[in-house]
Amino acid sequence: MGNRYEFIAPCHFGLEAVCKREIADLGYEIVKVEDGKVTFAGDMEALVRANIFLRTTQRILLKVAEFKAVTFEELFQNVKKVPWEEYFPSDARFWVTKATSVKSKLFSPSDIQSIVKKAMVERMKEHYHINWFEEDGEDYPVRVIIYKDVVTIGLDTSGESLHKRGYRRMVSKAPIEETLAAALIKLTPWNKNRILVDPFCGSGTFPIEAAMMGANIAPGMHREFQAQKWENIVSPKLFARGFEEAESLVDLSVEMDIQGYDIDPQIVKAARENAKRAGVDGLIHFQQRPVHHLSHPKKYGFVITNPPYGERLEEKEDLPALYRDMGKAFAGLDGWSEYVITAYEDAERYIGKKAAKNRKIYNGMMKTYFYMFPGPKPPRRKKPEQSEA
């Protein structure tokens, strides 16, 4: 095994460019960008740093094989060729946690899973000269992605999905995933010197993710990853160094104006507790307040929000009034930019203005739109300020 590996970072459909930029900013070479995933190259330190620092990916897969297969026999033979013994100790617990297939001849996930497992076992039998594996050691979960008959196999180094930063215990009805919230913030020109308000803050995800960016808090610095248990592949020293690097970059002295409002007092309380767990409660002001009371004396702020979109029929009737209130509140903000993610088809009509751009984004299986209403740029200050990223 050389010291250059390929890693796969799955991300939300429509947000690949954001994930790609984030990986490049960490200093790694982009190999390719496809629907819903970015492949990049690096050493084992890249595996560690990608897990700790990337905000917009779901997990990091260590790519172990890629080949074409249109029959189960081809799938079996190619999987058997992979040197699994380089990854799995003889007591490893290894299985295919997920198989996905798009536009391919082989499409039954359960068949793909069992054939890949069988081929891995055959290879291991030959190498370890054992006929039965107890599988009572560490977990080595495997993922299989088949797209247009090309099979990509990766080891899941993250374990629990990376959107689980560890701060969100209390969740509102239709929460937005942390990774998606971070990617949407990164799609806007917001930076820590600009005001940010979320008038439908729910469990606080947008304000918390923004505050973590502003204070340079790595999203994965307070959680564990599956690969930490793989001492045969990744040195524990690398994880120790990665967490140290994350600690050294945190800057809680940063001054920001970030606010989160919600009409439900219980939800506001939950958002405050989530922010506290994320270590950013001192950087965000949460308040119980309905959207029609949204106002701010200063110019050039940002609204980034995920308003209700009436998943239940009885809520649908309230939406026109709610979106009208939102539109009126936006009209009262001087020179602000507004960004709204919603599945509600009539959003623009009731907000009362046409978005400069809207992007189709899949939030889980739900098709949503990210409506962008950018405001004017603030005049440049006399002293050299941080450029608009």
Side-chain angles (χ1 to χ4, degrees), residues 307-337:
Y309 22 87
E311 293 91 311
R312 295 206 296 274
L313 277 173
E314 64 271 23
E315 293 169 352
K316 271 260 191 295
E317 296 156 19
D318 306 334
L319 293 182
L322 187 73
Y323 281 73
R324 259 194 215 107
D325 284 346
M326 195 170 18
K328 280 184 199 145
F330 288 173
L333 295 166
D334 190 358
W336 279 50
S337 305

Side-chain angles (χ1 to χ4, degrees), residues 361-381:
I361 287 162
Y362 282 87
N363 184 5
M365 293 318 312
M366 187 186 272
K367 184 169 73 175
T368 60
Y369 295 93
F370 191 47
Y371 294 100
M372 309 184 178
F373 306 95
K377 281 189 175 163
R380 297 203 68 79
R381 304 231 187 120

Side-chain angles (χ1 to χ4, degrees), residues 256-309:
M256 290 187 281
D257 184 347
I258 299 179
Q259 304 180 29
Y261 307 138
D262 203 282
I263 197 162
D264 179 342
Q266 287 313 109
I267 291 282
V268 172
K269 189 173 163 230
R272 277 197 195 108
E273 284 171 23
N274 290 340
K276 195 170 183 163
R277 266 191 296 276
V280 292
D281 48 326
L283 302 173
I284 307 171
H285 173 68
F286 287 109
Q287 198 182 7
Q288 181 196 353
R289 183 192 278 204
V291 68
H292 60 266
H293 286 168
L294 168 63
S295 66
H296 201 291
K298 292 194 176 141
K299 291 176 75 156
Y300 308 121
F302 280 73
V303 170
I304 304 179
T305 194
N306 173 36
Y309 22 87

